[in-house]
Amino acid sequence: MPSTADALTTELRASFKGPITTPQDPWYEEVRAVWNGMVERRPAIIARCTDAEDVAAAVAFGRTHDLAPSVRGGGHNVAGRALSTGGLTIDLSLMRDVTVDPARQLVRAQGGCRLADVDAATARHGLAVPAGIVSETGIAGLTLGGGGGWLSRTYAMSCDNLQSVELVTADGQTIDASDENHPDLMWGLRGGGGNFGVVTEFRFRAHDLPPELLVGMGVYRADDTAEALLDWTERYPDLPEVLSTHAILKQALPALPFVPPELHGRRGLLIVALYVGDRSDKAAEPLIDTVLSAGKPCARTATTMPFAFGIQRFIDADFAPGARYYTKEAHINELPEAAIGRLVEGWHELDMDGEIEIMGMGGAVARIPKDATAFANRHHLWWFNFAMKWQDPAQDASNIGRIRAVHDSLKPWLGTGIYANMLNFDETDRVVDAYGGPENYQRLGRVKATYDPSNFFRINANIIPVPGA
Ligand SMILES: Cc1cc2nc3c(=O)[nH]c(=O)nc-3n(C[C@H](O)[C@H](O)[C@H](O)COP(=O)(O)OP(=O)(O)OC[C@H]3O[C@@H](n4cnc5c(N)ncnc54)[C@H](O)[C@@H]3O)c2cc1C
């Protein structure tokens, strides 16, 4: 950033309505902060947009001054890709309106929405859009990279339910993209990340969802975890799509009423099973029972919970913003006994806070052909993720080293699938895998060359434009 920062800011103010924040402002740190407290990136200008016009003005300003911007939706990207280092950040966090058309089951969400905004608006109409599992996550980054969570086995990914968008392109135009209008771009936006422009509005198809869902939880002692995981993975392929289940190896079991008091704060396994349908369906309770009778649970419970204000907020407290987070993700199809044995050993080697998640996928996600959307890594049964955290910066290097070592020791079983949205700062060599392999990546490169030939939007899991496309 040149030393003329003040002059640049003054120039931007002439065309931009929203607040502009620079390091001189006393509130800069608050505005700059993203979810992961380990992220040190410090933009010179944070332009907080109020509408699509502001986004277009910020893009035009960036072009004029050759400032490739970062784009911030919810600020949840683990590697801090929402923030520029010393340059321009186009921040949509003030753009969080959601409107629901219940008759058409259509949801419009502005580009800075969090999942909580969308869930709260849709719940009023008995609807839901499939998204992630932590309510503070941004709908923008999540959807553009794929978007998987509790409803995915039944209703597929967020990107599969995306019908159209309003987008500001690298040359400053505001366009609509859908399957009819710019179909190549629409294909790329369903999984190709923030590579093609700034999305100012997402339009989703929503699904009917009962006000309360049946959810079951099983608690397992650390010593019983390997047996339970093996049993759970064996039962998993036969489960119907209406059943969603995750296994979570917790470093410290929560002090919830169904967890035996002697296990509060101790290492243990939680298996969660959700019936994504009417709780009075005949199949609901037996299916939950099938999942929770895996292995030897020391406690189990089944209850009903609202989706938006219950299930979608269930693990929020464990992922509060500001801690130092390091994640490492992989997609898997098999967890044989040897892999589970190593996983459980590795779990004991990690003495920091957090969890290892095995999120159940497959179902509706896997039924969509690989080439139908840019999100191509869809034929895996599970997303496997180390989500670890601590507070002390002095522990960064050793904790990261230990997580990597455990992850590396599992490599024989991990394969190549990885989620673009979870690519960490040290995984830039995995971008092609994250976008589904060389063929899919090349196709994305051709779309990139059409809509952003100079790679203006490059502070992301970047796709290089394919020349001559
Ligand atoms: C605690 C936690 C839980 C998570 N759980 C899930 C989960 O259950 N399922 C899942 O699928 N993912 C999950 N993720 C990953 C999540 O999808 C990514 O972190 C995603 O990047 C978050 O989106 P965001 O808008 O908050 O990102 P930001 O950090 O704001 O931005 C990340 C990138 O997204 C792009 N971007 C953001 N906004 C826009 C926009 N309006 N237009 C164009 N590009 C934009 C930019 O390229 C930017 O670099 C989780 C992440 C965290 C931290």
Side-chain angles (χ1 to χ4, degrees), residues 50 169 230 280 352-353 369 373 377 428 438 446 460-461 465:
T50 57
T169 56
L230 191 62
S280 61
M352 62 213 79
D353 205 357
T373 63
N377 279 338
T428 45
R446 292 193 289 275
N460 45 39

Side-chain angles (χ1 to χ4, degrees), residues 6-272:
D6 286 350
L8 285 175
T9 311
T10 306
E11 182 190 320
L12 177 58
R13 281 191 212 284
S15 60
F16 190 85
K17 301 183 287 287
I20 297 171
T21 305
T22 69
Q24 283 72 46
D25 293 316
W27 49 88
Y28 174 81
E29 285 306 331
E30 203 181 318
V31 173
R32 183 201 77 92
V34 287
W35 169 76
N36 188 354
M38 202 153 42
V39 171
E40 300 288 352
R41 299 170 179 216
R42 299 174 64 79
I45 298 178
I46 304 176
R48 283 192 287 162
C49 307
T50 57
D51 58 16
E53 277 181 10
D54 268 357
V55 173
V59 167
F61 171 81
R63 276 217 89 88
T64 305
H65 297 285
D66 202 16
L67 290 171
S70 70
V71 181
R72 176 182 176 140
H76 250 228
N77 182 274
V78 66
R81 294 191 173 96
L83 298 179
S84 134
T85 301
L88 172 66
T89 287
I90 300 178
D91 181 333
L92 278 77
S93 58
L94 299 179
M95 293 174 60
R96 291 173 60 178
D97 283 349
V98 185
T99 53
V100 181
D101 177 343
R104 292 165 65 209
Q105 305 211 171
L106 180 73
V107 177
R108 292 169 181 269
Q110 283 190 305
C113 283
R114 310 284 174 87
L115 305 194
D117 302 324
V118 178
D119 285 332
T122 50
R124 278 182 222 118
H125 302 280
L127 297 170
V129 172
I133 59 173
V134 172
S135 79
E136 289 285 298
T137 312
I139 196 80
L142 177 126
T143 301
L144 294 170
W150 286 113
L151 304 183
S152 299
R153 274 177 60 77
T154 320
Y155 297 121
M157 306 288 290
S158 310
C159 69
D160 299 323
N161 290 280
L162 184 63
Q163 296 197 320
S164 66
V165 300
E166 179 186 74
L167 168 108
V168 177
T169 56
D171 60 5
Q173 287 185 61
T174 303
I175 63 170
D176 262 40
S178 64
D179 288 335
E180 291 73 41
N181 213 5
H182 303 286
D184 54 341
L185 174 60
M186 195 63 215
W187 174 85
L189 289 165
R190 292 187 177 118
N195 273 284
F196 309 107
V198 186
V199 177
T200 49
E201 184 178 271
F202 293 83
R203 293 131 193 175
F204 293 102
R205 173 180 55 234
H207 298 269
D208 291 317
L209 204 69
E212 303 244 322
L213 299 181
L214 186 64
V215 59
M217 284 171 241
V219 186
Y220 298 78
R221 292 176 203 282
D223 288 348
D224 296 327
T225 293
E227 182 193 354
L229 279 180
L230 191 62
D231 200 352
W232 181 77
T233 52
E234 282 170 359
R235 289 165 195 236
Y236 190 87
D238 297 327
L239 295 172
E241 292 176 2
V242 71
L243 203 283
S244 191
T245 175
H246 301 178
I248 310 155
L249 291 89
K250 303 282 294 180
Q251 298 297 82
L253 284 166
L256 291 171
F258 65 90
V259 178
E262 70 277 14
L263 294 186
H264 292 179
R266 307 272 304 267
R267 205 175 252 120
L269 171 72
L270 275 184
I271 291 183
V272 185

Side-chain angles (χ1 to χ4, degrees), residues 369-415:
K370 186 176 157 74
D371 61 356
T373 63
F375 176 77
N377 279 338
R378 49 171 76 246
H379 299 103
H380 297 87
L381 283 184
W382 300 293
W383 286 7
F384 176 69
N385 187 35
F386 288 82
M388 311 308 290
K389 64 176 178 181
W390 53 92
Q391 302 292 338
D392 181 0
Q395 294 178 333
D396 290 353
S398 78
N399 282 353
I400 291 173
R402 276 182 298 151
I403 300 165
R404 279 189 194 143
V406 175
H407 186 268
D408 286 352
S409 72
L410 286 160
K411 269 196 179 150
W413 298 282
L414 294 184

